[in-house]
Amino acid sequence: MFRRIGWQVLLVGVGFLLTAAFLIYLATLYTTEFRPAQGGTYVESVGGYPQTLNPLLSFYNNADGDVTALTFCGLTRLGQQGEVEPDLATGWSIDPSGITYTFHLNGQAMWHDGSYVSADDVVFTFSLLQDPDYPGPPDLGQLWRSVQIHKLDDETVQFVLAEPYAPFLDYTTVGLLPAHLLHGIHAAELPTLEFNRHPIGCGPFRLSDVEITDGQISAATFKRFRHYYGPSAYLENVVLRFYATPRAALEAYQDGEVEGVSEITPELLPQAFAASGLNLYSAPTAEMTMLYLNELLTDTLPFDDAKVRQALLYSINRKQLINEELDGQAIIPETPLIPGTWAYTTEGITHYTFNQPRATHLLAGEGWTRTAPTETLHDAAGQPLAFTLMAANEPQDLALAQAIARNWAQVGISVTVQSVPPLALNAALESRSYQAALVHLLIPGDPDQYLFWHETQRLMGQNYTGFQHRRISEVLEQARTTINRDKRLALYREFQQLFMEQVPALPLYVPVYTYAVDARVHGVQIGPLMKPSDRFLTIANWYVLERRVIVSEQ
């Protein structure tokens, strides 16, 4: 009896050894590696609360934009270089006149309730934007009211413009609404819809649950939409938790409640750097801080002199400003376009590195001199080079303005910083009642800057500096009516070259957006951001789970 048991144990042992040897042999023949696997949940904290989960109303609140970016889709979307890419539309054609745009829809696209997306949804959505009572951005409504919309069939829509307008494609990135659920509503009703708390979209994730705390949306849970027409995400769930401030959002990570933080503001960087396992991702935003110089004040100030404007820019130590006043969270632009976007170039551009001796030389050449290093520059008539720099009464803006004033004082320019509320600053720009101003300018994905610098906008439009230059105006006119991309690139190259020769405004910096994600979340990448929610452009590649696969035979 005992002998039989002994033989059985021996046989089991031999079998085990043979199996182990076989597995070792296989391991020598094959190489394995870990690859992304579907499943898992990613939880992120957001500083700020969403109000309206509707893509037609989400332009003023970043938390709203985060939710709609995951839930909704547009005909097109802006890529990481600000270029327009297909989204729900598989493609489009433009007639040679640049007037008629024909879009072809993805026939597999579905709403989260199982209905198919059709041309009716496109017509319905953009008809709401055409409504005079549309409560969203006025320029968006104004543009769409000039466009004729035609449904050619269930998967084809045509837009007819009143005149050629190359930036039109940017306006087709708006998220679509489901006509079969909202048919019959008017634009004025949009803010009051129950739909805004329980939206149905056609994006990569379906909003499955909303938590309300003290009347605020405190959390939103999204499920991967299995019928999404685009690349399927690895993540099964995404949860956004909303907090009152960016600091509270970071503290949620420190407390182990989340795996990502939507934004790390400059003052929170030391804490974020100190957090073990937290990866930081930074990218330039679609915003530029500039100094505007009022050229309409020719009787009292020399801002209509390009050499003087050049000297003013040479006199500013922009790198020091960024390091000391912005904690390094910005980059220096070489032109008025956002670095990294598709039309930005430094080819043939005049560069303005900090050079106060160069500034002094330029000013002297224009008749501005001083007899002692501590004096203010003056012209031949004894008129001093002195003016007021207006800035919003925000701590960061005032610190920047004071630092710039100190830079200018070093070359003999006397500047008084004037602190005003943001609305008062805007009013002064519109009425042209300022001398110099620190301005934050939102730059769209399309490089069109007609409204900012064309001579027809100098008295009544958004050309608040009163700048006038015939060739720049001609280039901007041609570029906004030219459909051919290569021709537009050439025109915007010339625009940037001319702008940096004339410097009608002084580009200071482009803010950097910093996003934080735990190291356990893989595949995260961000590029230049047209808006904060663009950090989700690559979310299909993010993953938290892995699987081992055989990749090759030795």
Side-chain angles (χ1 to χ4, degrees):
M1 178 69 176
F2 291 106
R3 290 182 180 175
R4 286 196 297 271
I5 293 175
W7 278 108
Q8 291 172 351
V9 171
L10 179 61
L11 289 172
V12 169
V14 170
F16 176 79
L17 291 173
L18 289 173
T19 301
F22 180 69
L23 291 175
I24 292 172
Y25 171 72
L26 287 179
T28 65
L29 292 179
Y30 297 96
T31 300
T32 63
E33 67 178 29
F34 287 101
R35 289 185 178 175
Q38 284 195 328
T41 298
Y42 168 68
V43 185
E44 179 175 302
S45 60
V46 177
Y49 296 102
Q51 304 297 324
T52 305
L53 311 184
N54 186 317
L56 301 195
L57 304 174
S58 63
F59 301 97
Y60 303 118
N61 184 331
N62 288 341
D64 289 346
D66 290 345
V67 174
T68 57
L70 294 171
T71 309
F72 290 91
C73 53
L75 284 175
T76 62
R77 65 181 182 184
L78 292 181
Q80 292 187 343
Q81 291 187 307
E83 73 280 28
V84 177
E85 300 176 342
D87 190 358
L88 187 137
T90 57
W92 57 86
S93 60
I94 309 171
D95 80 314
S97 70
I99 296 288
T100 303
Y101 290 69
T102 305
F103 284 81
H104 307 282
L105 308 187
N106 189 322
Q108 303 303 311
M110 296 178 67
W111 295 103
H112 295 160
D113 65 357
S115 302
Y116 280 95
V117 179
S118 76
D120 292 328
D121 302 304
V122 179
V123 174
F124 170 73
T125 300
F126 292 117
S127 294
L128 288 172
L129 298 181
Q130 291 179 324
D131 190 322
D133 294 325
Y134 169 60
D139 63 316
L140 187 60
Q142 182 180 1
L143 181 282
W144 279 104
R145 282 192 287 276
S146 68
V147 178
Q148 298 177 37
I149 307 172
H150 305 289
K151 171 186 173 181
L152 301 187
D153 57 48
D154 284 345
E155 295 180 8
T156 312
V157 180
Q158 193 172 82
F159 302 115
V160 181
L161 280 57
E163 59 185 4
Y165 183 53
F168 170 71
L169 285 174
D170 269 32
Y171 291 83
T172 63
T173 61
V174 176
L176 300 179
L177 293 178
H180 67 285
L181 295 178
L182 299 175
H183 180 73
I185 69 162
H186 299 286
E189 302 172 70
L190 283 170
T192 63
L193 297 177
E194 178 62 23
F195 177 89
N196 297 339
R197 286 292 179 100
H198 304 284
I200 300 294
C202 54
F205 289 88
R206 172 179 58 85
L207 185 63
S208 63
D209 185 58
V210 172
E211 295 179 23
I212 308 293
T213 304
D214 297 329
Q216 297 272 21
I217 298 177
S218 56
T221 299
F222 305 83
K223 297 283 187 183
R224 178 170 62 90
F225 184 45
R226 299 179 186 278
H227 301 292
Y228 178 55
Y229 56 88
S232 181
Y234 292 115
L235 296 170
E236 186 64 31
N237 307 292
V238 174
V239 179
L240 299 182
R241 297 192 180 280
F242 303 100
Y243 298 83
T245 64
R247 183 174 297 278
L250 177 58
E251 290 171 351
Y253 175 80
Q254 295 169 328
D255 293 339
E257 298 175 5
V258 302
E259 290 134 349
V261 185
S262 67
E263 181 181 11
I264 302 295
T265 53
E267 67 274 12
L268 297 177
L269 278 172
Q271 290 176 251
F273 281 126
S276 177
L278 188 63
N279 290 335
L280 301 185
Y281 302 86
S282 296
T285 62
E287 177 184 315
M288 186 176 295
T289 297
M290 309 182 85
L291 283 171
Y292 274 17
L293 307 169
N294 191 344
E295 297 185 31
L296 298 176
L297 305 177
T298 54
D299 293 338
T300 56
L301 289 168
F303 292 155
D304 60 335
D305 186 333
K307 297 294 185 183
V308 171
R309 298 194 299 266
Q310 291 173 6
L312 289 171
L313 185 51
Y314 275 122
S315 301
I316 301 172
N317 192 336
R318 293 183 287 175
K319 184 175 180 179
Q320 186 179 56
L321 285 180
I322 290 171
N323 290 337
E324 295 185 358
E325 307 301 338
L326 302 171
D327 296 318
Q329 296 304 290
I331 59 176
I332 296 174
E334 299 291 348
T335 82
L337 301 187
I338 302 296
T341 53
W342 64 269
Y344 179 82
T345 184
T346 58
E347 180 183 333
I349 299 298
T350 302
H351 299 283
Y352 292 85
T353 53
F354 179 53
N355 190 338
Q356 290 190 335
R358 172 70 174 155
T360 299
H361 176 75
L362 286 169
L363 290 167
E366 299 306 298
W368 295 95
T369 59
R370 56 181 174 175
T371 56
T374 57
E375 284 188 356
T376 298
L377 291 167
H378 58 272
D379 61 13
Q383 179 73 26
L385 184 49
F387 55 88
T388 297
L389 173 57
M390 188 177 290
N393 56 358
E394 304 286 346
Q396 187 177 87
D397 281 10
L398 291 177
L400 283 165
Q402 295 288 359
I404 292 166
R406 290 192 294 271
N407 276 177
W408 281 337
Q410 292 167 356
V411 295
I413 302 170
S414 177
V415 176
T416 301
V417 174
Q418 181 182 3
S419 172
V420 299
L423 290 178
L425 175 60
N426 291 339
L429 292 172
E430 291 176 0
S431 62
R432 279 63 171 173
S433 59
Y434 72 98
Q435 294 183 336
L438 184 69
V439 176
H440 303 292
L441 194 64
L442 294 178
I443 309 292
D446 191 274
D448 174 43
Q449 297 215 351
Y450 178 97
L451 294 178
F452 301 142
W453 308 115
H454 194 274
E455 58 193 10
T456 62
Q457 307 297 305
R458 62 192 297 264
L459 298 178
M460 298 297 293
Q462 295 182 50
N463 180 355
Y464 297 131
T465 67
F467 176 65
Q468 189 170 12
H469 189 282
R470 182 83 281 266
R471 180 54 188 164
I472 285 180
S473 293
E474 290 173 350
V475 169
L476 292 174
E477 290 167 10
Q478 295 171 32
R480 69 172 359 206
T481 58
T482 298
I483 305 303
N484 182 278
R485 183 185 173 102
D486 291 337
K487 292 181 180 179
R488 293 193 81 203
L489 279 171
L491 288 166
Y492 283 120
R493 184 183 301 114
E494 183 181 356
F495 163 69
Q496 290 169 89
Q497 291 167 347
L498 292 172
F499 187 99
M500 295 311 294
E501 290 173 6
Q502 296 294 317
V503 282
L506 315 184
L508 294 180
Y509 65 86
V510 172
V512 166
Y513 184 95
T514 300
Y515 181 44
V517 182
D518 192 274
R520 292 169 294 182
V521 182
H522 307 285
V524 179
Q525 288 185 332
I526 62 173
L529 304 177
M530 297 300 107
K531 52 189 181 300
S533 62
D534 285 347
R535 66 187 186 274
F536 295 135
L537 281 175
T538 62
I539 197 168
N541 300 325
W542 302 7
Y543 62 97
V544 294
L545 300 181
E546 294 179 313
R547 58 190 175 91
R548 187 190 292 272
V549 297
I550 297 173
V551 295
S552 66
E553 184 176 348
Q554 298 286 353

